[in-house]
Amino acid sequence: MFCSKCGAKLFNGDVFCRICGASTEITDEPAEVVSEATAVAEAPSLTTEESIALADKLFDLYKSLERAEGDLKSAQEVLKKPVDTTYRPHARFKFFWPFLIYAVIAVYAFYFLALLSARANAYVALFMFVMVGISPIALLIFGGVRANRLASEANEASHRRIMEIKRHREEKEKEVATLKLKVNKTKDSIKCYSHYVPINLRNSGSMRKAKALLSAGKASNFSEAMELIGKK
């Protein structure tokens, strides 16, 4: 089914053509499709006040569309960036190995002190020899407990980071879906005014210029404003 005026395709339930706004007259054959320039030229003439109101409305619509398309592009760029969500647990030995070194150092340190104090004080020397055996064991036990705690904290932090990345991507995916819907709805809202605006002037900047021309009296209606802007 096609519009009898501009030849645009009609959908079930359409009362007016989505392109030219004409009342629907259903026909089995497409009418002769008019060019974009002809559709703009044959757009209904508006008063200056109506033209300013139309420029205002189209400015808001195009601005909203441009903003939504910009936000959509930014969100899609974020989703294109590769992210690593592989969980790699931290080994406890990563935090434990320094205590092995500390234990060796302690053995040599207390042994050296025991030798130095052997002649001066037998009791001190005995104590140092005892520490040669006790200190590395104590350090290794302390290191094992500490390494276990540090590894658990590091693994929890890694898990939280991965979950945060996944949550952020899910939010971006929802944002992209919402923005796509907004872009499509805005385009649908603009589509019914396409016969007023040439393709190359369908942006907020042209609508701002059109309003300025109409407000200054340099154009008497919207079509004249479009012609003046198109010539610049």
Side-chain angles (χ1 to χ4, degrees), residues 104-165:
V104 173
I105 293 173
V107 169
Y108 281 99
F110 283 112
Y111 183 77
F112 180 72
L113 291 173
L115 292 178
L116 289 178
S117 59
R119 294 182 180 179
N121 191 318
Y123 293 105
V124 173
L126 179 61
F127 175 77
M128 293 301 173
F129 276 116
V130 172
M131 290 302 296
V132 169
I134 294 177
S135 61
I137 296 174
L139 282 169
L140 292 176
I141 293 173
F142 175 76
V145 173
R146 182 171 174 78
N148 185 65
R149 181 172 63 82
L150 292 176
S152 297
E153 291 176 354
N155 288 332
E156 288 177 5
S158 296
H159 181 69
R160 286 195 300 270
R161 180 185 63 83
I162 291 172
M163 294 305 296
E164 181 65 21
I165 291 173

Side-chain angles (χ1 to χ4, degrees), residues 18-19 58 60-62 64-66 68-69 72 179-194 202:
R18 300 187 181 194
I19 302 301
L58 287 175
D60 291 338
L61 288 172
Y62 283 123
S64 177
L65 177 61
E66 290 162 1
E69 287 178 334
L72 176 59
L179 287 170
K180 283 183 178 179
L181 183 61
K182 183 177 181 180
V183 166
N184 292 333
K185 284 185 176 180
T186 307
K187 284 182 177 179
D188 287 340
S189 299
I190 293 173
K191 192 179 294 183
C192 60
Y193 300 102
S194 59
R202 293 174 184 175

Side-chain angles (χ1 to χ4, degrees), residues 46 49-65 186 188-193 196-197 203-204 207-208 210-211 214 222:
L46 303 174
E49 291 75 15
E50 290 173 336
S51 297
I52 292 174
L54 178 60
D56 264 336
K57 184 171 184 177
L58 287 175
F59 171 81
D60 291 338
L61 288 172
Y62 283 123
K63 194 68 177 178
S64 177
L65 177 61
T186 307
D188 287 340
S189 299
I190 293 173
K191 192 179 294 183
C192 60
Y193 300 102
Y196 284 105
V197 187
N203 54 73
S204 60
M207 297 305 104
R208 186 188 293 111
K211 183 180 178 181
L214 291 163
F222 193 83

Side-chain angles (χ1 to χ4, degrees), residues 85-118:
T85 56
T86 304
Y87 177 69
R88 300 180 180 87
H90 295 269
R92 289 172 174 78
F93 186 75
K94 173 183 176 181
F95 304 97
F96 179 71
W97 70 264
F99 291 93
L100 293 175
I101 298 175
Y102 300 154
V104 173
I105 293 173
V107 169
Y108 281 99
F110 283 112
Y111 183 77
F112 180 72
L113 291 173
L115 292 178
L116 289 178
S117 59

